[in-house]
Amino acid sequence: MTIGIKALSTYIPAGRQSVETILEDNGCTHKDIKLFRRIHKLRQVPIVEEGQKLEETLSKSLEDIIQLYPNHKIKLVLYTHTIIPQVPYNYELMYRLLKEFNLHNIDYYGISHANCASFFIGLKTAVDFLRKSTAESEVLIISGDQTNFMSESRYLTKSSIIGDSSAAMIISNRPKEKEILSTHVMADTRFFYGIYALKEEVDQFNKSYSNNLNRLIDQTITKANIDLNNIDWILPHNVNATTWRNFSRERGFDPKKIMTDLIEEIGHTYCTDAQINLNYGLKNGKIKPGHLCLLIGVGVGSFFGASVVRI
């Protein structure tokens, strides 16, 4: 059975917060700012307008594809996110969001335990669900986070700055294009403390990061029965440019085939980076029909996810 991406929409707020503001709010030094700007190539991140609710942020991307496909066959909705939604107790966030689009009677679930790699668990769940369906069916994956009043959530120690965004994707078992060839997720449970890890554990995580990333990529492309040199585009998580310079050098992979265009403009956006990079590449004509794309996401904790998609 062929399963693929039927529709994709992303939302990036117009507002921006500078790397200087975020790092200074988190007690960082001028030396840290220089590292982020000159080495990591991180300049700013998108932020929502003051007073904008989370369901509004999520609806920005969702409304586009529902308008395009009013006669959808969505049988399952998955909300993949990184942080606990900033909403009041018993708020019924997803009900409020889905009711606006008459989707509230469809089964819906949240996935967040893999942090910024949660989208890939959602994608794997969607593929598994659709493989068991004989009739034409679709799964809607909604992704997105915002941190209106938590400046500490915009800073990943020594690694990245994080902004607000959302993405919506329809996965179908009757796709006309964008076939999903493989999806793989893995975890290194030594680092389960995540953002609460001690400095020694963070150092050890950083040392093992490259090996884990390479293992993720190799296992994902093996499941797709292709080699790394078959990949036309890597659509990465936008944590920083340093990661991908190192990867390119270690693996001999052409850096021009890694979609790092948006790192300076929007930085890291929780679990929507790969979707945003895919949409950016498609809209700008960089990604063309027949291209093989490797989508990647990494979450603290430490979780890794990837998928190979043939456009």
Side-chain angles (χ1 to χ4, degrees):
M1 177 184 292
T2 300
I3 295 172
I5 302 169
K6 178 178 179 179
L8 170 63
S9 176
T10 58
Y11 163 66
I12 302 171
R16 295 290 185 270
Q17 191 168 42
S18 70
V19 63
E20 287 86 355
T21 299
I22 295 170
L23 267 60
E24 286 169 2
D25 285 349
N26 283 276
C28 297
T29 66
H30 180 71
K31 183 179 179 181
D32 294 319
I33 294 172
K34 186 187 295 185
L35 167 70
F36 272 62
R37 269 194 170 272
R38 295 187 182 180
I39 308 301
H40 289 340
K41 301 298 181 184
L42 293 163
R43 185 165 58 92
Q44 59 188 10
V45 293
I47 60 169
V48 298
E49 295 181 5
E50 185 176 352
Q52 181 167 311
K53 297 178 180 179
L54 180 55
E55 64 263 34
E56 295 177 70
T57 299
L58 299 175
S59 70
K60 298 284 189 181
S61 53
L62 181 54
E63 62 187 359
D64 290 340
I65 59 174
I66 296 301
Q67 287 175 3
L68 279 173
Y69 299 100
N71 298 318
H72 59 79
K73 293 179 172 56
I74 297 171
K75 308 298 182 187
L76 177 67
V77 178
L78 301 173
Y79 171 38
T80 66
H81 56 103
T82 298
I83 60 174
I84 297 173
Q86 296 177 38
V87 295
Y89 172 72
N90 207 27
Y91 190 73
E92 295 290 350
L93 170 67
M94 290 307 293
Y95 179 83
R96 288 171 181 255
L97 171 67
L98 297 176
K99 192 174 190 303
E100 179 182 348
F101 302 96
N102 198 30
L103 298 171
H104 56 292
N105 291 318
I106 299 172
D107 288 342
Y108 54 90
Y109 301 91
I111 298 173
S112 64
H113 57 282
N115 296 319
C116 293
S118 292
F119 164 73
F120 291 93
I121 293 184
L123 188 59
K124 187 176 186 301
T125 302
V127 170
D128 291 344
F129 177 87
L130 291 170
R131 279 180 178 154
K132 297 174 182 177
S133 177
T134 55
E136 183 177 358
S137 301
E138 297 164 356
V139 175
L140 170 65
I141 303 178
I142 304 167
S143 304
D145 295 91
Q146 65 184 50
T147 49
N148 305 50
F149 53 87
M150 294 172 61
S151 62
E152 65 272 21
S153 294
R154 295 200 184 280
Y155 174 58
L156 193 58
T157 305
K158 303 293 183 183
S159 298
S160 193
I161 51 174
I162 313 174
D164 308 326
S165 68
S166 69
M169 180 182 285
I170 295 179
I171 311 298
S172 170
N173 61 2
R174 299 288 193 277
K176 295 182 179 179
E177 54 186 20
K178 301 180 183 67
E179 180 184 0
I180 299 170
L181 301 183
S182 69
T183 301
H184 183 63
V185 292
M186 61 180 235
D188 188 335
T189 56
R190 292 178 296 168
F191 308 109
F192 68 93
Y193 277 116
I195 61 173
Y196 303 106
L198 300 174
K199 181 183 182 302
E200 295 77 13
E201 294 170 318
V202 172
D203 291 342
Q204 186 60 37
F205 167 77
N206 290 333
K207 289 178 182 178
S208 64
Y209 184 90
S210 179
N211 286 338
N212 278 330
L213 182 63
N214 280 301
R215 185 158 61 96
L216 168 77
I217 290 172
D218 290 340
Q219 290 177 356
T220 306
I221 61 178
T222 296
K223 289 172 83 172
N225 294 314
I226 59 173
D227 296 319
L228 185 60
N229 57 15
N230 299 132
I231 295 294
D232 296 290
W233 286 103
I234 287 180
L235 306 177
H237 64 302
N238 295 339
V239 170
N240 58 56
T242 306
T243 294
W244 300 107
R245 283 197 303 268
N246 292 341
F247 171 82
S248 176
R249 183 175 60 253
E250 291 170 6
R251 299 295 296 265
F253 191 82
D254 185 353
K256 295 179 181 178
K257 295 166 66 175
I258 305 176
M259 192 77 70
T260 57
D261 305 35
L262 297 177
I263 288 179
E264 283 197 64
E265 175 60 26
I266 65 170
H268 180 35
T269 54
Y270 294 107
C271 63
T272 60
D273 287 353
Q275 300 100 296
I276 287 174
N277 284 325
L278 174 58
N279 207 24
Y280 169 82
L282 291 169
K283 287 188 172 183
N284 286 276
K286 294 191 173 191
I287 299 175
K288 304 182 185 300
H291 277 179
L292 286 171
C293 297
L294 177 62
L295 287 68
I296 297 174
V298 179
V300 295
S302 98
F303 302 94
F304 296 78
S307 182
V308 176
V309 179
R310 180 188 287 120
I311 305 302

